Amino acid sequence: MGESSVFHRDFNAVLPMVVAVDGNYLIDDSGRRYLDACGGAAVSCLGHDHPKVREAIKAQVDRLAFVHTGSFTNAPAEELAAHLVACAPEGTGAGRVMFLGSGSEAMEAALKLARQYCIEKGEPERQQIIARKPSYHGNTLGALATGGHAGRRAPFAPLLIEVNHIDAPYPYRLQGQDESEADFAERMALLLDAEIGRLGPETVMAFVAEPVVGASLGTQPAPKGYWPRVREICDRHGVLLIADEVMSGMGRTGTTYALEQEGIAADLTTMAKGLGAGYQPIAAVLAAQKVVDVIKAGSGKLWNGHTYMSHAIATAGALAVQQVIEEENLLDNVVRRGAQLEAALRDTFAQHANVGDMRGRGLFWTVELVADRKSKAPFDSSSGIAMNIGSAAKARGVMTYPSPGCIDGVNGDHVLLAPSYTSTEAEIYDIVETLAAAVQDVLAG
Ligand code: PMP
């Protein structure tokens, strides 16, 4: 092939062309097979060729592709929304779902819904957003501004709206040696209380956070007790809680929504990756009844909208994905294989001189690499350690999601794993063995 006309992330890279799929494997045009241990970016949770999802999409193509939401609704969108509300964390109530095309779009929509809620409630002075660092909420300008990802923000800084950031709980580097998990959770949650106080509670619109941090920090759950305390603080100050479950949601951590495991519900929840599992580009915002009621009693109108909302083929594909997860009891497999993945990672890397931390939940795990295990010093940000490990694993036939970290000197290089919910025992061992070999390739070389 000559020079590509596609905007690749790396203009100089010559990328393999994937021409076929086989379960959790991708096959390129030279016949090479890659075991997909990351689903792209925690997207492909049902492998690449699930027959039921394929059939549902084909059937919908023959029925109806698109109608505009200003004039019509369609059956798969209605059914999928009802399903997402029905399995939402207790406390969500009779919510409503807005379907969009990407995680970033869902984050923008959540922020706008939060703003609309405040205005319709008679509190227009609420416009401040509090988010966390590190975090990643997407690449459109509002989502990028909300994210606490220094590297991604830097070139666009002059274009970003002002967002206030507090530290995300990151036990490996932020928890005191003698600090209990409960004390750490409390200290981290109180950062929110202090920030709301600093800004003036009557000016704060929303707190935005990932229930299990994804792309920026690497699969970091919060310490036990953090989320209930955050919920209490938000409620006390009349601040909306926006849970970004774009990566952590739809079963990735062992429950449909990661927040379920914390015993609280958010006011607005975004989801994307595992929603369509890559078979269709789709994202959603779930608004809890509290938000819906205020808007219904106010203008009764949505002050935001996109052309492709509730796209019938996209929602039909996502509906089939969610039905397969349920019918095949795949959340059980996430828990079982997740435990196996954790055990294999700990067995393999527990004593490794350059592995500082392993963290995660369900089939969502990260290995953080450090230059010095004792001091926890990260590798120099220019070292490319994680990216090189990712390349070495790819050369060995396993796809991982490496990241150079996002804030120099805070969190360093790490490799994220997000295997398919259909993973077999043999595939999980293959992933960990190959990662170990790739780490060896890079650090010994
Ligand atoms: N939020 C989170 C937590 C994400 O992980 C991502 C994507 N990595 C996004 C938002 C943005 O999603 P998208 O790339 O589909 O716009």
Side-chain angles (χ1 to χ4, degrees), residues 102-105 107 136-138 210 215 244 246-247 273:
S102 70
S104 301
E105 239 181 281
M107 287 308 300
Y136 183 66
H137 296 296
E210 299 157 88
D244 180 351
V246 165
M247 237 191 207
K273 313 216 179 218

Side-chain angles (χ1 to χ4, degrees), residues 46 48-64 279-280 312-313 315-321 323-324 327:
L46 293 186
H48 296 276
D49 58 0
H50 200 290
K52 281 196 184 157
V53 181
R54 284 180 160 181
E55 282 315 313
I57 292 169
K58 286 180 197 164
Q60 190 60 43
V61 170
D62 287 338
R63 228 175 274 132
L64 168 75
Y279 290 93
Q280 288 293 313
I313 298 173
T315 49
L319 178 62
V321 168
Q323 286 168 341
V324 165
E327 284 160 17

Side-chain angles (χ1 to χ4, degrees), residues 18-360:
V18 173
V19 293
V21 289
D22 177 15
N24 296 327
Y25 289 81
L26 299 164
I27 303 164
D28 74 15
D29 55 357
S30 67
R32 290 207 53 191
R33 288 168 65 86
Y34 306 83
L35 174 54
D36 188 357
C38 61
V43 174
S44 304
C45 61
L46 293 186
H48 296 276
D49 58 0
H50 200 290
K52 281 196 184 157
V53 181
R54 284 180 160 181
E55 282 315 313
I57 292 169
K58 286 180 197 164
Q60 190 60 43
V61 170
D62 287 338
R63 228 175 274 132
L64 168 75
F66 165 79
V67 283
H68 196 273
T69 45
S71 311
F72 295 103
T73 187
N74 68 74
E78 293 291 342
E79 202 178 328
L80 180 59
H83 171 81
L84 296 175
V85 171
C87 59
E90 209 183 317
T92 303
R96 284 195 184 220
V97 182
M98 181 176 176
F99 292 111
L100 302 135
S102 70
S104 301
E105 239 181 281
M107 287 308 300
E108 302 285 341
L111 294 173
K112 285 187 176 163
L113 274 169
R115 176 70 183 144
Q116 178 173 356
Y117 169 87
C118 292
I119 295 171
E120 303 238 43
K121 202 164 171 253
E123 298 179 344
E125 64 286 1
R126 287 191 186 268
Q127 47 193 281
Q128 295 278 2
I129 301 165
I130 303 174
R132 306 190 306 184
K133 62 180 174 18
S135 66
Y136 183 66
H137 296 296
N139 252 333
T140 51
L141 292 175
L144 189 63
T146 306
H149 192 301
R152 293 192 193 235
R153 291 170 60 95
F156 305 104
L159 309 182
L160 302 180
I161 56 166
E162 203 182 310
V163 172
N164 312 280
H165 291 98
I166 59 172
D167 284 338
Y170 178 20
Y172 176 57
R173 295 187 187 278
L174 301 185
Q175 187 173 355
Q177 278 234 313
D178 302 319
E179 192 175 27
S180 70
E181 183 176 6
D183 287 349
F184 178 55
E186 178 71 1
R187 179 163 67 84
M188 289 285 112
L190 287 180
L191 295 177
L192 175 61
D193 204 35
E195 187 65 3
I196 293 173
R198 186 184 74 81
L199 293 165
E202 67 290 347
T203 69
V204 181
M205 175 178 97
F207 175 55
V208 185
E210 299 157 88
V212 176
V213 184
S216 61
L217 186 46
T219 66
Q220 179 68 70
K224 203 166 164 39
Y226 176 82
W227 280 104
R229 191 76 161 110
V230 161
R231 180 71 269 184
E232 180 275 317
I233 291 166
C234 287
D235 287 343
R236 182 153 41 85
H237 295 297
V239 170
L240 286 176
L241 175 57
I242 302 179
D244 180 351
E245 296 240 25
V246 165
M247 237 191 207
S248 64
M250 315 333 288
R252 176 55 61 197
T253 69
T255 46
T256 302
Y257 300 91
L259 217 43
E260 253 173 273
Q261 295 173 49
E262 313 292 344
I264 62 152
D267 302 308
L268 293 160
T269 302
T270 56
M271 62 202 97
K273 313 216 179 218
L275 183 59
Y279 290 93
Q280 288 293 313
I282 183 167
V285 186
L286 165 64
Q289 183 167 359
K290 164 176 150 187
V291 176
V292 174
D293 284 350
V294 164
I295 295 177
K296 241 175 127 177
S299 70
K301 301 261 190 291
L302 178 63
W303 296 349
N304 181 25
H306 293 272
T307 303
Y308 295 126
M309 290 197 305
S310 294
H311 192 274
I313 298 173
T315 49
L319 178 62
V321 168
Q322 300 313 307
Q323 286 168 341
V324 165
I325 292 173
E326 201 167 287
E327 284 160 17
E328 297 184 9
N329 286 322
L330 289 176
L331 296 187
D332 288 351
N333 206 48
V334 170
V335 172
R336 198 167 49 240
R337 296 284 165 245
Q340 186 195 337
L341 177 60
E342 174 178 7
L345 287 172
R346 294 205 187 282
D347 280 355
T348 307
F349 294 113
Q351 306 302 327
H352 198 288
N354 298 108
V355 172
D357 192 32
M358 288 172 271
R359 51 182 176 265

